[in-house]
Amino acid sequence: MRNDTVLPDAPPGDLAALLPPGNVVVLGGPGTGKTALLEAMMPALVAGSVGGAVFLTSSRQAAVASSERLLAASASAATGALGCVTWHAFARGLVTSHADLLAYRGEPRLLSGPEQWSLVRSLLLETTGVDWGGLAPLVDTRAFTDELADFVLACERRLIGPDDLLDRVGAGGPPAWAPAAAFLAAYGERLALEDSVDQAGLLAQAGDLLDDTPEVLAVTVARMGTVLVDEAQELDPAQLRLLELLVAGGARAVLAGDPAGTTDAFRGATPGALPGYAERLGGSVVRLEQSRRLGGPGLDAVQRLQGAGGQAPVALRGGRTTAVEVARYPGPADEADAVARLLRVAHQRDGVAYGRMAVLLPSLRRTVGPIRRALERYSVPYRLGAGERQLIAEPIVRYVLDLFRLALDPDRADELIPSLLTSPLGGLDPRELRALRRAALLADRTLARHVRAPSAELGVDARVAGRVTRLCRLVDQAGRWVGELDADGCFWEVWQNAPAFAGLVRRAEADPTNAAAARQLDALAAFSRALALFVDGRPGASMRTYLDVVERADFAGDPWLSSAMARADAVALLSVNAAKGREYDVVVVAGCLEGTLPRTTWSQGLFEAWRLDGDLDPVARAQATLDAERRRFVLGASRARDRAVFTWSRAEGRGEPSRFLAELGVQLPGEPSPPDQTPLEPLEAAGALRRVLTDWDRAAAERLAAASTLAATPGVDPGSWWWRRDWTHDPEPIAAEGRLRTSYSRIGTYEDCHLRYFFGSVAGLDDRTSYQMAFGKLMHTVFELAAKGEVADGPEALKAAYRERFDPAWFPSRAVAHQFWRDGMDMLELWHRSEWEAAKRALAFEIDFAIAVGGHLIRGRIDRIDRLGDGIALLDYKTGRTLATEEQAGSSLQLAIYYLAALRDPELAALGAPVKMQLVYPARPRQGRFTRVSQHPGPDHAQRVEQRLLTLLDGAAAESFDPNPHADCRFCQFKTICPMWPQGESFLAPAQPPAGLTTSGSGHEQGAGR
Ligand code: SF4
């Protein structure tokens, strides 16, 4: 019989004394002190005469946090037993210390997430005993492995074995479960054969151990005495069984949890089941109803949300005031910026420590990038906890992996070299990289090719050149290591040979408080261990195999947690789910969009793992899904003590605010919130005051106040303000002796907008290698190989050559990759039907040229040259879909340059007179062939082209870089730093001239005050 008691509002130590004897389930809403109550019980239990206590929780971070609090609060030095562990750690202790009873031949090897996936994949590829039926064509895909690896773990968590699964098929379960049951059996056998166990299997085996060996149960219970379970609403069947066995063996259990707070239902937890556990364990129920965290609007909002879910929450009273705010922003970048700014203002103005703030995101994997970049821009320190980042995403580890990626695939140099250069392995700073990029542009080659030039030709100072050369040498060495050594050995060689790592060790030794160096060393040590374990499990496994396994993006949390960062005063950046059990002063829940929070679409999955928990009809399943999402939202909404901020923005004009925002009971803003103008730094404050000061529309008093504040602001010197300057003032001219070396595409950019040319080609800010470029290069290659006869005759050979070279990793998503893949296939069809014959008769392909124009040099490449009557036609393939008109082709600068090149380049001139230049569009069929638009040279074409070019080349050489008000800005990436656009006006825009300074002249440098 259940005995519900409401505990009074008292300190945790007093409450612990009020708990009834026997097994107890403590129910409480957010912030009611459940964890604190369990922690308060620990010291007395550990010190007491009847057994001790084991304190269990669901996540490693919660376990670490509780252990730290327990140890900090303990006055005694004998604190060995004072700690909190995860269920997995507890089960691992049982299994490894009784490995012989479980028929292991030594200590079992615990598989990490990637290793479990890898085992499923290799079993799938080598096991032929499972008849997958209609699923057979999918078996060797990675997506199938993803699904099956998850399904295997889902079964283990729910204690469902192969026979149970088969029985469920007989009872109407999905037919795919029949082969999955056979696979599950094979998987279990392989694990036993290799003396290994996966994470979910640990719990099941610990349960088997206690069930089958009463003496082990008796010893365990005698040693533990009491088992304290935090986050008990998340217990899965395997954990629950373990708990029931311990209680049956004589242990006392005290469970604490929020019955309305289950967010791990997908892992097998049963929502709302917690109060019923008291009956199962023969215990009593007590309630905590006073929230120490929430109050006022924040508490009202949480209760409204819970009420909307239809599930009765625990009664909750609050004593504080938690403010609730909702803000909308125009787009994700503005939202990320606003969030970073908000945190910085809260820290600087309101004095909130960074470590007391958090940003919660619906899905870290998809949305963390913009937020991280914004936090870095605003100098807001942040940390990602274990489970929030994979070890391989840790920057220092990522660079090492990038080194090996490059060593294994030198074609990725354009993509990987820039970040490697600025990594610790390269050692360049962004300014040095820009200088190198600029030198590459002036030398007219890609950065990847340029770094391979002799040191003296790199065009940068000797110190930088030395670092570049050392990095290239390391890449070459890595190329040898990946061919000769296993993954572990490869890392060891890099560790020994990269000077950066020796420097890192020196820095950490010289300054033990250097958190950044400590974190990098921690990460490298953890990475080394992970590699050693990987090779241990798969002897001889190469770096390619390792990369193949870890490049899957969706492993759950890995076991690495940087101790240096865990304690740092930094904003926590977490997924909503990972915020369980945490509390902050300020919490921002970002990305509150319908479709994201709540997620409104769920894949069924090949194996429909959700049916393991019962077969719901579609309406009931949709309702259950929505309720689960609401609980997730409540979790995020209930983490803040003082201030909870919910933000959302539309991505590319699409997206509606989360329905849960309406349930909060606050007014949603109809329009995007204006940017926060609060200055963050003296310079920003000075800028804002100067704007007020020079705004004639403002009241005189306001301007006067701005002037006096400016005068009193330290570090502000009106003498250093400037109002006008040239776009560049580099004493080194861009074009030595006024002679420019450029390409037709760059000078084409200059013609459209001088400033864009400056940003992209002179300042070296254009480092984009777009997927469109990669795709275009591929199509050019296939067309050329086919026309030269290097691909066998026939559409299948053509497509095979395409398939071999197409890499979905170029594209931002699989959907985009798929679209391009289809476009490419269509182009090849058309090419084969109507272009191949003519292409085979072409005179030349991919011809490089270099021509002099008025003392300048223009380089370029022509895709194809055809014979046309007595003359030649010059062709350029455009694989994009935007079609130029005949008129645009007639005035195309690119085609005009081709014409000049065909007249002046001796090799091209020998082929005949140019009579037509064409842009050819493989993606745009017209009348059964590629669409073509042409330029036909008139009698004075050469002179007109030369004149047009000279104006541009002289302008660029003379460093005339004004923005063009009539430029085609649609695809310009520099809008944010272009004074022609509102978002960039403050970057280069001149201020008003101080009185007395001349407003005429050629634009002298007046100092650089901004
Ligand atoms: S945004 Fe327009 S004006 Fe500004 S640099 Fe780009 S193309 Fe030129």
Side-chain angles (χ1 to χ4, degrees):
M1 167 146 168
R2 216 168 82 181
N3 177 21
D4 284 21
T5 309
V6 178
L7 293 182
D9 183 19
D14 298 350
L15 292 180
L18 294 175
L19 287 184
N23 300 323
V24 185
V25 175
V26 181
L27 305 180
T32 46
K34 301 178 289 295
T35 306
L37 172 57
L38 296 183
E39 287 173 6
M41 295 176 71
M42 273 298 277
L45 289 170
V46 168
S49 52
V50 280
V54 169
F55 185 3
L56 300 174
T57 190
S58 52
S59 78
R60 183 163 178 258
Q61 276 168 310
V64 169
S66 278
S67 298
E68 286 187 350
R69 281 193 297 267
L70 283 167
L71 293 174
S74 165
S76 147
T79 51
L82 262 189
C84 178
V85 293
T86 61
W87 279 92
H88 284 106
F90 175 67
R92 189 175 62 218
L94 278 175
V95 169
T96 52
S97 53
H98 300 91
D100 51 333
L101 297 176
L102 289 163
Y104 285 113
R105 287 162 293 184
E107 189 171 307
R109 189 167 162 275
L110 180 59
L111 298 185
S112 65
E115 287 171 319
Q116 189 260 350
W117 184 88
S118 173
L119 177 65
V120 170
R121 181 145 181 87
S122 37
L123 261 179
L124 272 174
L125 297 180
E126 66 195 51
T127 303
T128 50
V130 179
D131 177 7
W132 290 104
L135 299 176
L138 305 175
V139 164
D140 58 359
T141 64
R142 295 166 73 87
F144 190 86
T145 310
D146 290 350
E147 293 240 1
L148 190 58
D150 283 347
F151 187 70
V152 164
L153 294 178
C155 289
E156 288 179 318
R157 283 192 197 105
R158 291 163 177 81
L159 300 171
I160 296 172
D163 294 340
D164 302 323
L165 205 54
L166 266 185
D167 290 347
R168 288 175 183 229
V169 178
W177 287 2
F183 181 86
L184 196 56
Y187 175 81
E189 283 165 20
R190 175 60 72 88
L191 284 178
L193 201 66
E194 295 185 353
D195 283 329
S196 301
V197 57
D198 62 30
Q199 300 272 352
L202 262 183
L203 272 299
Q205 291 190 7
D208 292 345
L209 178 74
L210 297 186
D211 207 5
D212 297 342
T213 46
E215 55 284 9
V216 174
L217 176 62
V219 171
T220 308
V221 167
R223 201 180 304 134
M224 70 168 27
T226 303
V227 54
L228 306 177
V229 181
D230 201 6
E231 305 293 354
Q233 75 279 2
E234 307 292 7
L235 290 177
D236 66 27
Q239 292 164 340
L240 201 54
R241 175 197 180 209
L242 206 49
L243 184 66
E244 286 182 318
L245 283 165
L246 292 169
V247 169
R252 180 192 179 208
V254 180
L255 281 61
D258 180 352
T262 306
T263 53
D264 283 354
F266 62 99
R267 291 208 171 97
T270 310
L274 181 57
Y277 294 161
E279 226 158 292
R280 281 175 76 162
L281 300 173
S284 49
V285 173
V286 299
R287 293 169 184 273
L288 294 169
E289 296 188 348
Q290 179 70 32
S291 178
R292 291 141 202 265
R293 181 188 309 151
L294 296 172
L299 179 60
D300 293 347
V302 165
Q303 288 181 323
R304 253 188 233 110
L305 280 163
Q306 289 183 323
Q311 197 177 331
V314 185
L316 206 57
R317 296 183 305 278
R320 309 176 53 85
T321 301
T322 312
V324 177
E325 299 163 31
V326 178
R328 170 186 170 180
Y329 297 99
D334 307 83
E335 184 180 358
D337 252 37
V339 168
R341 209 179 167 88
L342 179 151
L343 297 169
R344 179 94 187 262
V345 171
H347 178 70
Q348 284 187 198
R349 190 189 60 194
D350 307 334
V352 185
Y354 281 129
R356 295 294 308 156
M357 296 194 270
V359 180
L360 309 184
L361 298 165
S363 156
L364 214 62
R365 198 185 321 145
R366 264 178 276 152
T367 48
V368 75
I371 292 278
R372 285 181 67 174
R373 286 192 288 277
L375 293 176
E376 280 157 16
R377 262 198 312 280
Y378 283 86
S379 306
V380 175
Y382 66 90
R383 63 192 151 93
L384 298 154
E388 297 309 325
R389 87 167 12 206
Q390 297 169 32
L391 178 57
I392 58 163
E394 184 64 19
I396 189 73
V397 175
R398 207 179 61 227
Y399 292 132
V400 174
L401 291 176
D402 277 352
L403 177 76
F404 289 118
R405 288 185 180 109
L406 181 56
L408 285 163
D409 186 359
D411 285 349
R412 293 181 67 184
D414 285 334
E415 170 200 346
L416 297 172
I417 276 287
S419 65
L420 277 174
L421 282 167
T422 48
S423 75
L425 296 173
L428 269 58
D429 65 29
R431 192 184 51 79
E432 290 163 342
L433 176 62
R434 273 201 300 280
L436 191 66
R437 216 187 268 287
R438 179 177 161 179
L441 284 163
L442 293 176
D444 204 18
R445 52 193 172 211
T446 63
L447 183 66
R449 277 181 47 218
H450 186 65
V451 294
R452 293 294 182 171
S455 189
E457 294 174 22
L458 287 175
V460 287
D461 72 46
R463 202 174 39 89
V464 176
R467 290 196 206 130
V468 173
T469 310
R470 273 197 295 280
L471 177 68
C472 290
R473 199 179 311 134
L474 192 63
V475 173
D476 294 341
Q477 287 174 308
R480 283 200 307 281
W481 297 328
V482 292
E484 295 165 2
L485 304 171
D486 62 20
D488 195 15
C490 286
F491 175 68
W492 178 240
E493 290 295 340
V494 173
W495 173 256
Q496 284 194 308
N497 285 281
F501 293 152
L504 185 61
V505 173
R506 273 198 304 277
R507 280 206 307 283
E509 282 173 352
D511 178 8
T513 61
N514 184 336
R519 179 186 179 122
Q520 291 184 5
L521 281 178
D522 276 1
L524 288 169
F527 177 57
S528 167
R529 270 200 307 278
L531 278 177
L533 281 171
F534 184 76
V535 174
D536 200 24
R538 309 177 63 152
S542 66
M543 186 51 81
R544 189 184 289 281
T545 314
Y546 180 76
L547 285 172
D548 191 41
V549 170
V550 298
E551 274 173 355
R552 290 180 63 248
D554 52 355
F555 288 123
D558 64 54
W560 183 68
L561 172 64
S562 163
S563 52
M565 281 311 283
R567 282 188 284 274
D569 181 28
V571 171
L573 193 48
L574 304 167
S575 67
V576 172
N577 288 47
K580 193 182 301 160
R582 315 254 189 123
E583 176 179 289
Y584 303 92
D585 292 344
V586 176
V587 170
V588 181
V589 185
C592 299
L593 272 182
E594 194 67 10
T596 311
L597 191 63
R599 279 170 284 193
T600 44
T601 52
W602 293 82
S603 61
Q604 289 275 1
L606 282 174
F607 298 102
E608 300 177 84
W610 57 275
R611 291 175 74 173
L612 293 171
D613 295 323
D615 231 345
L616 299 175
D617 65 54
V619 175
R621 186 179 178 226
Q623 188 58 52
T625 306
L626 186 61
D627 286 345
E629 287 295 282
R630 184 178 284 102
R631 288 193 296 272
R632 209 156 72 93
F633 192 82
V634 170
L635 172 65
S638 58
R639 298 302 99 193
R641 284 162 60 90
D642 297 333
R643 186 178 173 200
V645 184
F646 301 86
T647 66
W648 95 92
S649 59
R650 295 184 151 183
E652 291 165 8
R654 286 193 297 273
E656 293 302 321
S658 164
R659 69 187 75 182
F660 300 144
L661 291 178
E663 293 176 9
L664 284 174
V666 293
Q667 186 73 31
L668 300 194
E671 292 300 320
S673 314
D676 182 0
Q677 301 286 354
T678 315
L680 296 174
E681 291 177 345
L683 252 180
E684 235 181 271
L689 291 167
R690 284 167 62 189
R691 275 196 292 279
V692 175
L693 183 61
T694 53
D695 185 351
W696 290 91
D697 293 335
R698 292 194 182 242
E702 213 180 328
R703 296 177 59 216
L704 196 59
S708 37
T709 313
L710 261 176
T713 306
V716 169
D717 173 14
S720 69
W721 297 348
W722 58 265
W723 71 277
R724 184 168 178 178
R725 67 176 184 191
D726 279 344
W727 297 110
T728 64
H729 63 105
D730 194 331
E732 290 277 324
I734 288 169
E737 295 162 12
R739 300 189 66 214
L740 197 71
R741 289 155 59 106
T742 187
S743 71
Y744 63 77
S745 58
R746 283 193 224 126
I747 203 65
T749 304
Y750 184 82
E751 187 174 44
D752 183 45
C753 175
H754 298 358
L755 184 58
R756 178 148 91 183
Y757 169 89
F758 168 75
F759 282 146
S761 299
V762 181
L765 301 182
D766 185 1
D767 61 348
R768 291 189 309 177
T769 310
S770 69
Y771 59 89
Q772 291 97 335
M773 285 160 69
F775 176 75
K777 200 166 145 194
L778 166 64
M779 297 314 298
H780 278 68
T781 305
V782 177
F783 291 156
E784 185 186 345
L785 291 175
K788 284 180 172 171
E790 291 176 26
V791 170
D793 215 346
E796 287 317 313
L798 205 56
K799 287 178 183 173
Y802 172 67
R803 192 172 293 116
E804 196 181 303
R805 291 167 176 79
F806 185 91
D807 183 355
W810 293 333
F811 301 90
S813 69
R814 292 175 69 163
V816 174
H818 183 65
Q819 182 59 35
F820 272 79
W821 167 262
R822 281 185 8 191
D823 284 356
M825 281 296 192
D826 291 347
M827 288 183 212
L828 294 178
E829 276 289 340
L830 198 57
W831 160 270
H832 184 255
R833 270 207 315 273
S834 57
E835 299 285 336
W836 197 334
E837 286 305 321
K840 278 196 284 195
R841 292 194 298 274
L843 295 175
F845 299 95
E846 302 284 336
I847 325 288
D848 290 325
F849 66 80
I851 52 168
V853 179
H856 307 288
L857 190 77
I858 302 182
R859 292 178 187 279
R861 176 177 289 179
I862 300 174
D863 289 342
R864 182 173 130 190
I865 301 181
D866 284 357
R867 170 72 56 212
L868 193 67
D870 291 339
I872 56 173
L874 311 167
L875 275 62
D876 185 71
Y877 292 117
K878 299 279 184 208
T879 48
R881 286 177 165 272
T882 315
L883 195 63
T885 61
E886 285 288 347
E887 193 186 345
Q888 286 166 333
S891 61
S892 158
L893 183 66
Q894 179 187 358
L895 294 181
I897 293 174
Y898 281 9
Y899 175 73
L900 219 53
L903 293 179
R904 294 189 179 169
D905 185 282
E907 196 185 332
L908 292 176
L911 297 174
V915 291
K916 186 158 71 174
M917 290 75 70
Q918 287 189 320
L919 300 174
V920 182
Y921 291 88
R924 301 295 299 261
R926 184 185 291 166
Q927 295 173 347
R929 63 193 302 240
F930 294 168
T931 298
R932 288 163 158 78
V933 287
S934 309
Q935 186 176 90
H936 301 275
D940 58 347
H941 203 53
Q943 290 91 312
R944 284 198 287 120
V945 172
E946 173 139 20
Q947 195 45 54
R948 182 177 168 191
L949 272 172
L950 269 177
T951 312
L952 299 173
L953 293 164
D954 287 345
E959 306 188 12
S960 162
F961 295 133
D962 293 320
N964 175 7
H966 306 292
D968 181 0
C969 302
R970 271 176 308 166
F971 302 112
C972 177
Q973 56 171 314
F974 303 119
K975 286 195 197 88
T976 46
I977 53 172
C978 171
M980 303 297 286
W981 287 80
Q983 58 266 53
E985 64 187 356
S986 61
F987 187 74
L988 292 174
Q992 290 299 312
L997 279 184
T998 175
T999 57
S1000 61
S1002 58
H1004 303 296
E1005 177 70 17
Q1006 303 286 348
R1010 292 176 70 113

